[in-house]
Amino acid sequence: MLKKLTEMKKEREDEIAEFVTHISTLKHIEVKDTDCATIELDMDLKDPSSKIFLYKDGVMVPFTIEDSEEQKHNLKQIGKKYVFTIKNLGSGDAGLYSVDVGGVNVFSTDFKVPEVDFAVKIKEVKAEEREDALFQCVLTAPLNELKWYGKSAPLTHGEKFEISVSEDKLIHKLIVRDCLPLDGGIYAAVAGIKSCNAFLIVEDPGVHFHAGLSDCKVVVGEAAELECKVSREDCVGIWYKDGNELSSSEGITITKDGTFHRLKIHKVTEEFAGKYKFEADGRKTESVIAVEDPPRFSAADLEAFKTPVTVKKGHKATFKLPYIGRDPIKIQWYLEGEELSDEGNIKLEHSEGCTRLLLNKLQRKDSGEVKIKLKNEFGTVEACSQLNVLDKPTPPMGPVEVVEANSSVIDIKWRAPKDSGGCKIDNYILERQQVGRNTWKKVGPIGPEATYRDSDVDLGKRYCYRIRVETEMGTSEQMETDDIQAGTKAYPGPPSAPKVVTAFKDCITLSWSPPSDTGGTNILGYNCEKRKKGSNLWGQVNPHDDMIKGKQYAVKDVVEGMEYEFRVTAINNSGAGEFSTPSEFVFARDPKKPPGKVIDFKVTDSTYTTLSLGWTNPKDIEGVEDEAKGYFVEVRPAENTEWDRCNSNPTALNFYTVRGLKSMAMYWVRVIATNDGGEGQPQELDNYILAMPPPVRPRFTDAKIKSFMVVRAGNSARFNINFEASPWPEVTWLKDGVPVSKKVTISNAEGNSQLLITSAERSDTGIYTIVVKNIVGQESFSIEIRVTDEPKPPGPVEIDENVPGTVTISWSASPDEKRDDRLHYMVMKRDSSKRTWHTVADHIFNNRFTACNIMPGREYNFRVYAKNDMGSSKPSESPKWLITAKKEKFTVKIPAPKVCDLQCPPRFLVPLKLHTAPQGYECYMSCAIKGDPTPHVTWLRNNISLNTNTNYFISNTCGVCSLLILRVGPKDCGEYKIVAENSMGRAECSTKLTVRE
């Protein structure tokens, strides 16, 4: 189906391409303020002489090429732009308009005409310059928005034009903000095909201000300037301060530059604060100058304060800084962010225009940033300086690192002290002790470098060192090292596994990283070994007397086509250490060429979120395209230009499933083959793919679907049905051929639909049909849902004898008979010779029944039950029926007795039969048994005795054994067995009962 849609789209594009090279800027039909409508489109025709046609609702519309007052439809061409105009609009102009070129449709637009007119049209508005103008109209019918035009240009809502509509959508307003002379002209409102227009007249009010005065805040000592712009250059104005006229004087300059009027204050003091006004031609503009006096420092004083202060431990330091600003000023001093107060060794002194901080008995820990912060009602100012307190340095930081320790030298290094006391380090003072002796030998000072090479050592002896720091403030405490032995061999650890940098048929280049454990001495070089794949022998690749100095080596002793692995070992003064982990196996051959494009790339399966792809390996062309080792899959949504890679690592398989797609979205897909030589050219699918499963005709998937359902009135009726279809089908439920009512709840999910009647009534009985339809086809299924209840019993029962030996039982209909077409009756009988009731008739659809074999002298009782799909009603019982038997005289002739042995073991004359009974109906089982003495009969279900179970009616009359179940249920299913026993033997017979709905 997708392929067919793509072909249809391509056919249409090909048809248009026969006449049109390019088409764009398709504007749908639009009503203008000149009571006309236009259709615009840009077309680049292959043949300028191609005929253009206009159709309305499929009927060709004649038009003129030039603008004509008489012709209703016109076409105007400006370069590549084609504009169709429809004049004198009316309600009959609504319809579907199409533009064809050479018999091929290139554009269609639907023109709808709302039935609306102007109840009140817009009227002429006069507004003074810089004022707002309001246009207002009232419509005869609600309309969400109007089209407003100003001098034939469409207007949009913004700062200049405010467009609004009332809640009832009848009153529409246009406000033109801040009118200028150029805003004057004709304004129009268009509603549907109706329009109205009116003039906006902007009147000149004389002198006015284009830019008025604005309030400002000025710091004491700075300059301030007020400026306003008037509408005319010949305007003369007057400046006022607090109501008093101003003129140019010492400290104030008033100037005029065309339409600009300025007042400049050269150096502001507090007396210049106040309300200023400029007045011209009876109009005025005002502003307020607020003079502020925040705290501040002079540049020289601030620069002097920033100079760091350095003192020795135990001495004092003073910080002083003058300031200016209006009182009251809050002064705060900080040391390393902590506010200082006047106590202990800290003194704070404040005088008019100056503040001073005195710090006594300073310690090294007091070093840090000193900050002053001044604040008044106008602002805050800060300044920072540094305090550096000098002291003795702390000891050097350990642990000491042994760079080299052999038979002739011990080379150690350490870290500088944590705190040098604020001074640079002059020297490190070293002392050495041979372990086992009590004396220390001075071997320093050695300078400011934190390293020492001791060459005066004896092989195998152990030494300990003391190290102190020396600065201009004194000498630190000592740091003592651990014992260090001279001349002990310590081999380096293994380097990292070699990595292959490049591989060619005659040379393989390797690189590695040095070992983390150097054995306490410097690494002098490396040895490298190689081994062929499958061999156990390692061979050194560098000469035995020439170690590798760097961390990279080119192995040239290789055979083309062979596969090798490599390992390296580090060498220090003690010798060669452990070998590294071997490298990966690498072939001695020239680099591979990237593979070619994959073959037979296709879509194997798809869903709404996944896409399964398959392909064949690309061809292997020696020297041009090598064998592919893996593949990358990339997708690109139709609206994007960038490809997204689906798998970060190449897959070696020839199939892949793309997941996480958007349902029904369009994607382009491609596969890129890769190997050691790089990535090959991508192979794309010819067409884009829709994220949807392959087209599948709707099909119901349930193995057995019920076609009939009985529901008790008041209960809920629920029916689920599963199906498969692609694309998404439309699911419709019908009741007796018409759509279901709102009472029925339909829930549709993927591959499933559910019908739910929450509280079923008898009126809900009917045939419900589900129709599943998509573009491939449709399928339907019907189920009969019967809503019923246990019936009410029949009316009174009467008995009448019309024929000797028979009685006719008649009864009044059950009240439910008229509304339940499946209701029927059952008649049961009991006579005085038996204690049990048994059914004599069932499925009676009238109100009469004739019972036969009525014996005189016996008393009969009859019961009538109403039955339907839900079960049986309570019985209606007849009056007793008795026919008196006439006694006749008879003579008994007793024959001569014969001696006869009739004893025999039990034997079944008539065995049990298989039974299948509907749920809710009765089931009657019987068999005939012969035996002397009379056998004892036991009934069993699933090997459990039923003789004492009152739910079953069991009888044994003259060898005829019967079992009656009045209302069969699922619990009654199973195997039934009858066992007959006497002194002569035993016999069994069994059957099975199946209950169906």
Side-chain angles (χ1 to χ4, degrees):
M1 189 65 190
L2 177 62
K3 185 178 180 181
K4 185 176 180 181
L5 292 174
T6 306
E7 290 175 354
M8 292 173 62
K9 179 181 177 184
K10 192 174 186 304
E11 287 177 5
R12 171 166 172 77
E13 291 175 349
D14 293 341
E15 289 178 354
I16 296 177
E18 290 183 14
F19 301 95
V20 181
T21 304
H22 178 72
I23 183 169
S24 62
T25 319
L26 306 174
K27 290 188 178 180
H28 291 270
I29 197 162
E30 183 178 356
V31 179
K32 301 292 186 180
D33 59 334
T34 54
D35 197 22
C36 67
T38 61
I39 305 172
E40 294 185 18
L41 63 159
D42 290 355
M43 289 190 300
D44 190 359
L45 300 181
K46 283 188 174 181
D47 184 2
S49 63
S50 297
K51 291 187 178 181
I52 300 176
F53 303 93
L54 178 65
Y55 293 88
K56 176 179 177 290
D57 295 330
V59 179
M60 185 184 295
V61 177
F63 58 86
T64 59
I65 300 300
E66 298 298 332
D67 193 4
S68 172
E69 294 294 335
E70 299 178 355
Q71 189 70 25
K72 184 177 180 67
H73 301 87
N74 296 280
L75 171 62
K76 185 177 181 181
Q77 181 182 358
I78 306 172
K80 297 180 181 179
K81 182 183 289 293
Y82 294 82
V83 181
F84 287 93
T85 304
I86 307 170
K87 298 182 178 179
N88 303 320
L89 293 174
S91 58
D93 292 318
L96 179 65
Y97 287 83
S98 302
V99 178
D100 287 16
V101 178
V104 177
N105 176 252
V106 296
F107 181 63
S108 297
T109 180
D110 192 11
F111 183 33
K112 297 180 180 178
V113 178
E115 296 181 0
V116 64
D117 201 352
F118 290 93
V120 178
K121 298 183 178 181
I122 60 174
K123 298 180 180 179
E124 180 182 289
V125 177
K126 293 182 179 181
E128 292 187 355
E129 193 174 346
R130 314 305 295 192
E131 288 184 348
D132 296 343
L134 169 64
F135 290 97
Q136 180 173 289
C137 62
V138 181
L139 303 180
T140 58
L143 194 64
N144 288 333
E145 61 178 358
L146 289 182
K147 292 182 181 178
W148 291 93
Y149 291 86
K151 293 184 280 188
S152 296
L155 306 179
T156 56
H157 182 82
E159 293 184 2
K160 182 66 177 179
F161 301 101
E162 180 181 326
I163 298 173
S164 61
V165 61
S166 62
E167 290 186 4
D168 58 7
K169 310 296 183 183
L170 295 176
I171 303 174
H172 295 257
K173 297 180 181 179
L174 169 67
I175 300 176
V176 184
R177 299 289 188 191
D178 193 22
C179 292
L180 298 175
L182 56 85
D183 293 325
I186 297 178
Y187 286 77
V190 178
I193 60 173
K194 302 293 183 179
S195 64
C196 59
N197 54 61
F199 273 94
L200 169 61
I201 301 173
V202 181
E203 299 177 339
D204 186 0
V207 174
H208 60 271
F209 295 100
H210 286 299
L213 300 178
S214 57
D215 296 341
C216 62
K217 295 180 181 180
V218 188
V219 177
V220 172
E222 295 181 355
E225 183 177 272
L226 298 177
E227 178 185 86
C228 66
K229 182 182 179 182
V230 296
S231 58
R232 297 206 317 242
E233 291 189 7
D234 58 351
C235 171
V236 177
I238 303 174
W239 291 91
Y240 295 90
K241 177 184 178 295
D242 296 332
N244 300 317
E245 185 176 343
L246 296 176
S247 58
S248 296
S249 60
E250 186 177 353
I252 297 178
T253 302
I254 296 175
T255 59
K256 176 180 179 296
D257 182 9
T259 59
F260 289 91
H261 293 257
R262 298 183 178 91
L263 181 146
K264 183 175 182 180
I265 303 172
H266 301 288
K267 189 175 182 180
V268 173
T269 59
E270 292 188 5
E271 64 185 25
F272 287 102
K275 189 174 184 180
Y276 288 78
K277 178 174 68 174
F278 178 77
E279 187 173 307
D281 196 19
R283 294 177 177 267
K284 61 183 179 180
T285 177
E286 298 178 347
S287 70
V288 174
I289 293 181
V291 178
E292 297 182 346
D293 192 7
R296 53 200 182 278
F297 310 112
S298 68
D301 292 336
L302 184 60
E303 194 64 31
F305 178 76
K306 289 181 178 179
T307 304
V309 175
T310 303
V311 296
K312 294 183 179 181
K313 175 185 176 182
H315 290 207
K316 64 180 180 180
T318 303
F319 293 88
K320 181 180 179 182
L321 186 58
Y323 62 87
I324 53 177
R326 184 186 301 176
D327 291 331
I329 295 178
K330 182 179 179 181
I331 304 173
Q332 295 171 289
W333 286 90
Y334 297 86
L335 177 59
E336 280 298 295
E338 184 177 351
E339 186 175 357
L340 303 177
S341 57
D342 194 354
E343 59 183 7
N345 297 328
I346 303 172
K347 298 294 182 183
L348 300 177
E349 298 177 357
H350 308 307
S351 60
E352 185 176 355
C354 185
T355 180
R356 181 169 174 262
L357 169 65
L358 176 63
L359 302 173
N360 296 313
K361 299 180 181 179
L362 290 170
Q363 302 296 319
R364 174 64 182 160
K365 64 180 180 180
D366 296 326
S367 299
E369 182 187 65
V370 176
K371 182 173 71 174
I372 181 174
K373 182 178 180 180
L374 306 182
K375 182 179 180 181
N376 67 2
E377 61 178 309
F378 300 110
T380 303
V381 67
E382 295 180 354
C384 296
S385 184
Q386 282 295 129
L387 171 62
N388 187 20
V389 181
L390 305 180
D391 196 1
K392 291 194 303 181
T394 59
M397 294 181 66
V400 171
E401 179 182 349
V402 180
V403 178
E404 184 178 357
N406 54 39
S407 59
S408 59
V409 69
I410 292 178
D411 192 354
I412 60 174
K413 66 178 180 179
W414 57 90
R415 291 185 292 166
K418 185 176 182 180
D419 183 8
S420 65
C423 307
K424 71 174 184 176
I425 297 173
D426 294 333
N427 293 295
Y428 285 99
I429 300 174
L430 267 74
E431 293 179 305
R432 188 189 77 182
Q433 181 193 52
Q434 183 178 324
V435 176
R437 296 185 179 181
N438 296 326
T439 58
W440 289 86
K441 178 183 177 182
K442 192 170 184 179
V443 294
I446 60 170
E449 287 76 22
T451 179
Y452 179 66
R453 186 176 179 86
D454 189 359
S455 58
D456 184 18
V457 295
D458 296 328
L459 176 64
K461 300 293 178 66
R462 304 180 69 84
Y463 297 91
C464 181
Y465 296 87
R466 288 177 179 170
I467 309 171
R468 290 180 292 174
V469 184
E470 184 180 39
T471 66
E472 63 176 289
M473 292 301 296
T475 304
S476 71
E477 299 294 329
Q478 66 186 15
M479 176 192 70
E480 190 170 326
T481 69
D482 295 331
D483 296 347
I484 304 172
Q485 185 173 357
T488 302
K489 289 188 175 183
Y491 297 101
S496 67
K499 293 183 179 179
V500 178
V501 179
T502 59
F504 295 92
K505 64 182 179 181
D506 55 358
C507 180
I508 299 175
T509 303
L510 308 170
S511 69
W512 56 86
S513 299
S516 56
D517 178 15
T518 63
T521 60
N522 292 329
I523 300 297
L524 303 178
Y526 300 89
N527 285 333
C528 179
E529 293 185 349
K530 76 175 188 307
R531 181 173 70 175
K532 296 178 183 178
K533 189 172 185 179
S535 172
N536 295 324
L537 299 177
W538 288 91
Q540 187 166 318
V541 297
N542 60 297
H544 290 277
D545 57 349
D546 186 12
M547 68 179 72
I548 303 169
K549 299 296 184 182
K551 295 184 284 297
Q552 186 168 321
Y553 190 70
V555 182
K556 298 182 179 180
D557 182 18
V558 292
V559 178
E560 182 180 0
M562 297 297 294
E563 195 172 6
Y564 296 93
E565 63 177 340
F566 302 89
R567 66 182 184 182
V568 292
T569 180
I571 305 171
N572 65 5
N573 290 331
S574 299
E578 297 179 37
F579 277 101
S580 67
T581 304
S583 68
E584 294 181 354
F585 281 99
V586 58
F587 281 99
R589 63 188 180 191
D590 291 339
K592 284 192 172 186
K593 300 289 184 180
K597 293 184 178 181
V598 300
I599 304 169
D600 195 22
F601 182 34
K602 61 187 176 182
V603 177
T604 59
D605 194 13
S606 62
T607 68
Y608 289 107
T609 58
T610 64
L611 188 64
S612 298
L613 307 169
W615 59 86
T616 304
N617 294 343
K619 293 181 179 179
D620 185 5
I621 305 174
E622 186 176 356
V624 180
E625 295 173 349
D626 285 335
E627 179 185 4
K629 289 184 64 177
Y631 305 92
F632 289 107
V633 178
E634 295 183 341
V635 298
R636 176 172 66 85
E639 65 274 12
N640 292 352
T641 57
E642 296 183 358
W643 291 90
D644 296 326
R645 182 157 288 185
C646 302
N647 52 325
S648 56
N649 296 319
T651 176
L653 304 175
N654 289 58
F655 53 88
Y656 188 82
T657 299
V658 182
R659 305 183 185 279
L661 303 179
K662 292 183 180 178
S663 176
M664 299 304 291
M666 293 188 299
Y667 293 91
W668 292 97
V669 187
R670 69 183 186 183
V671 170
I672 302 173
T674 182
N675 60 13
D676 295 335
E679 296 182 2
Q681 291 296 319
Q683 177 64 59
E684 291 187 33
L685 291 174
D686 295 334
N687 294 311
Y688 60 78
I689 301 299
L690 280 175
M692 59 173 283
V696 175
R697 179 185 175 88
R699 183 178 69 87
F700 297 107
T701 57
D702 295 316
K704 293 182 180 180
I705 312 177
K706 296 179 181 179
S707 60
F708 180 75
M709 178 187 291
V710 178
V711 181
R712 186 187 297 274
N715 290 356
S716 63
R718 187 189 307 269
F719 183 71
N720 278 290
I721 190 161
N722 298 313
F723 58 85
E724 63 177 18
S726 176
W728 297 113
E730 177 185 354
V731 180
T732 307
W733 281 90
L734 306 174
K735 177 179 180 288
D736 298 330
V738 298
V740 296
S741 63
K742 294 182 179 179
K743 175 185 177 182
V744 181
T745 302
I746 305 298
S747 302
N748 294 324
E750 182 177 355
N752 174 268
S753 183
Q754 176 183 269
L755 176 143
L756 174 64
I757 306 173
T758 52
S759 180
E761 300 175 357
R762 290 182 182 266
S763 59
D764 294 321
T765 297
I767 305 296
Y768 289 82
T769 303
I770 179 175
V771 180
V772 183
K773 180 181 180 181
N774 66 3
I775 58 176
V776 184
Q778 74 174 39
E779 194 67 41
S780 62
F781 180 78
S782 298
I783 176 176
E784 180 182 357
I785 297 179
R786 179 167 294 277
V787 182
T788 183
D789 205 343
E790 289 185 356
K792 294 179 182 178
V797 179
E798 297 179 357
I799 299 177
D800 185 23
E801 183 182 19
N802 296 324
V803 178
T806 65
V807 292
T808 299
I809 304 103
S810 60
W811 57 88
S812 300
S814 168
D816 293 326
E817 183 178 303
K818 292 183 178 180
R819 53 181 180 176
D820 193 342
D821 58 353
R822 293 173 65 89
L823 185 137
H824 56 276
Y825 299 95
M826 179 180 71
V827 179
M828 298 187 73
K829 180 184 75 171
R830 184 179 68 177
D831 59 38
S832 55
S833 66
K834 298 178 182 179
R835 293 185 177 182
T836 59
W837 291 87
H838 66 277
T839 303
V840 294
D842 199 355
H843 292 86
I844 302 172
F845 285 90
N846 56 28
N847 303 110
R848 294 172 64 86
F849 175 72
T850 300
C852 303
N853 299 324
I854 303 300
M855 306 295 293
R858 294 186 184 182
E859 187 178 76
Y860 292 89
N861 288 81
F862 296 93
R863 286 179 177 174
V864 182
Y865 295 83
K867 298 175 68 176
N868 64 5
D869 294 313
M870 288 303 298
S872 304
S873 69
K874 293 181 179 180
S876 294
E877 196 162 334
S878 70
K880 294 180 180 179
W881 179 263
L882 175 63
I883 300 176
T884 306
K886 296 179 181 181
K887 295 182 179 180
E888 295 181 357
K889 293 181 180 181
F890 62 95
T891 303
V892 179
K893 295 181 180 181
I894 300 175
K898 294 181 181 180
V899 179
C900 182
D901 186 6
L902 299 176
Q903 289 187 343
C904 65
R907 181 168 60 89
F908 286 91
L909 301 177
V910 179
L912 293 171
K913 297 180 179 180
L914 293 175
H915 290 268
T916 300
Q919 183 177 337
Y921 288 78
E922 68 176 22
C923 178
Y924 181 78
M925 302 180 189
S926 64
C927 64
I929 305 172
K930 179 182 179 181
D932 190 16
T934 302
H936 177 265
V937 176
T938 304
W939 284 86
L940 301 100
R941 184 177 73 86
N942 296 335
N943 294 323
I944 298 174
S945 176
L946 303 177
N947 283 22
T948 58
N949 194 328
T950 56
N951 293 323
Y952 300 89
F953 298 98
I954 298 173
S955 65
N956 185 358
T957 306
C958 299
V960 178
C961 300
S962 63
L963 180 142
L964 175 65
I965 307 172
L966 278 181
R967 298 181 67 179
V968 175
K971 67 182 187 308
D972 296 315
C973 291
E975 182 184 37
Y976 286 78
K977 183 188 297 183
I978 183 169
V979 179
E981 296 176 295
N982 64 8
S983 59
M984 299 298 292
R986 185 175 185 272
E988 291 183 3
C989 184
S990 63
T991 186
K992 285 188 179 181
L993 171 61
T994 304
V995 179
R996 60 179 171 83
E997 292 187 2

